[in-house]
Amino acid sequence: QERLVESGGGLGQAGGSLKLSCLASGINIRTVDWYRQAPGKQRELVAAFSPYGGGTRYADSVKGRFIISRDVTKNTAYLQMNNLKPEDTAVYYCHGVSFATGYWGPGTQVTVSS
């Protein structure tokens, strides 16, 4: 079955860290991004690998605090979230593209307490 599944969400404290994982099953993912959606807000891009020549890009709100990475041997992408803030509270989604097909995971809730 082709799918993405996120894990690692939960309750974090302001100033703390959480690490999210996104496991791809049955899919040869070419690119992967992380998005989030807070209550009452639109889904926004948080972190992504640049499509050409490597490199990464981040939303201004998380730059310097979040790190996107991947382990191709494990078919897994990660989002390391440091110095968490209450405004990071959202459902986090990974999005993968395999050739011309995009896949979304079901999301994992991250709640940051002050």
Side-chain angles (χ1 to χ4, degrees):
Q1 182 178 5
E2 299 175 337
R3 62 176 184 170
L4 299 177
V5 178
E6 304 92 342
S7 61
L11 181 64
Q13 290 190 332
S17 299
L18 286 173
K19 186 173 184 177
L20 306 182
S21 300
C22 173
L23 174 64
S25 300
I27 312 169
N28 183 11
I29 295 296
R30 304 294 292 260
T31 64
V32 62
D33 314 308
W34 285 95
Y35 288 75
R36 69 184 181 187
Q37 187 166 18
K41 295 187 177 181
Q42 289 187 330
R43 191 172 298 190
E44 63 172 348
L45 178 65
V46 174
F49 289 101
S50 297
Y52 306 108
T56 54
R57 54 193 177 101
Y58 298 91
D60 288 342
S61 58
V62 307
K63 202 171 294 183
R65 300 189 297 120
F66 289 12
I67 302 170
I68 186 173
S69 63
R70 66 185 298 183
D71 184 339
V72 295
T73 65
K74 297 181 179 179
N75 225 15
T76 301
Y78 303 95
L79 185 66
Q80 176 68 46
M81 305 187 296
N82 301 318
N83 191 19
L84 288 166
K85 301 178 179 181
E87 51 264 43
D88 295 324
T89 295
V91 178
Y92 284 72
Y93 301 89
C94 67
H95 171 255
V97 176
S98 176
F99 300 100
T101 303
Y103 298 85
W104 289 94
T108 185
Q109 176 70 47
V110 171
T111 302
V112 182
S113 61
S114 57

